[in-house]
Amino acid sequence: MTTLKIGDKAPNFSSKDQDGKLHNLADYIGKKLVVFFYPKASTPGCTAEACDLRDNFERFSQNNYALLGVSADSEKAQSKFKEKNNLPFPLLADENKEVIQAFGVWGPKKFMGRTFDGIHRTTFVIDEKGVIEDIISDVKTKEHASQILK
C-alpha cells in the first residue's frame, strides 16, 4: 500500500490541527514523531487506538516522542473527538488528503463485501532527523502503544 520504507526520509507535510494550528514535519526535528493515520474520528476502532495512545502518553513523553493523529475529518470533527476522549496530542484535519496521500495510506479497502477508497490504518515512527524508523500497518487498536514502544 504505502511505498515508503524504513530508512526513507519522511514526507515533508503541512496541515492544520483541530484548532487550526499549522503543523509541519520541521516542527518535530529533534524529537521522535509518531504519525498515526486512522479512518474516521469517533468510530470504535479509532477511539480505542487514540485512547490507548492517550493512556500511554506519559511513556511517550518520557521517551522524547511527539504524537500526531491524522484523518480526513474536519477540524470540527477532530476537535469533538479530541475533547470527548481527552486526547493530549494534536489531530490533523487533512480534509484535502495531502498528508494522507504523501504517506501513501489512501487506497482501495474492502468492508462487508464492498470495495471503496479510504485511509489504511497505518502508523509511522519518525526519528529525530526526519527518517522513518518504523512503519506499523497491522495496528492493534487496543494495544497500539506497546507496538510502538517495544
Side-chain angles (χ1 to χ4, degrees):
M1 181 48 223
T2 178
T3 54
L4 294 172
K5 298 178 293 310
I6 293 171
D8 286 351
K9 194 98 174 106
N12 197 6
F13 63 83
S14 183
S15 187
K16 290 183 179 178
D17 69 11
Q18 72 288 336
D19 299 323
K21 180 181 184 282
L22 201 59
H23 293 261
N24 303 288
L25 179 63
D27 299 339
Y28 297 94
I29 297 299
K31 271 188 154 331
K32 288 185 177 212
L33 176 62
V34 173
V35 182
F36 67 100
F37 291 89
Y38 56 95
K40 189 142 183 62
S42 300
T43 56
C46 298
T47 301
E49 179 182 10
C51 290
D52 179 58
L53 296 173
R54 174 202 66 203
D55 295 346
N56 288 280
F57 187 71
E58 193 55 43
R59 284 176 58 210
F60 284 106
S61 296
Q62 290 166 353
N63 288 288
N64 196 35
Y65 282 93
L67 278 75
L68 270 183
V70 185
S71 76
D73 291 296
S74 67
E75 286 180 24
K76 185 177 179 188
Q78 296 289 47
S79 183
K80 284 168 74 173
F81 185 44
K82 180 178 165 81
E83 205 171 291
K84 180 179 179 192
N85 295 290
N86 201 21
L87 304 176
F89 41 79
L91 302 174
L92 301 185
D94 190 26
E95 289 183 274
N96 59 11
K97 302 178 189 70
E98 283 180 19
V99 180
I100 292 162
Q101 300 275 15
F103 278 82
V105 297
W106 182 263
K109 297 171 68 164
K110 274 192 173 27
F111 183 68
M112 296 178 77
R114 214 175 101 239
T115 302
F116 60 96
D117 281 345
I119 295 173
H120 288 256
R121 188 184 307 276
T122 310
T123 297
F124 294 82
V125 181
I126 302 165
D127 73 11
E128 296 86 345
K129 295 183 177 92
V131 175
I132 297 170
E133 68 176 29
D134 198 6
I135 300 171
I136 303 165
S137 53
D138 182 23
V139 173
K140 292 172 179 41
T141 57
K142 291 184 169 92
E143 51 200 65
H144 194 35
S146 61
Q147 288 182 289
I148 300 165
L149 297 167
K150 300 177 186 99

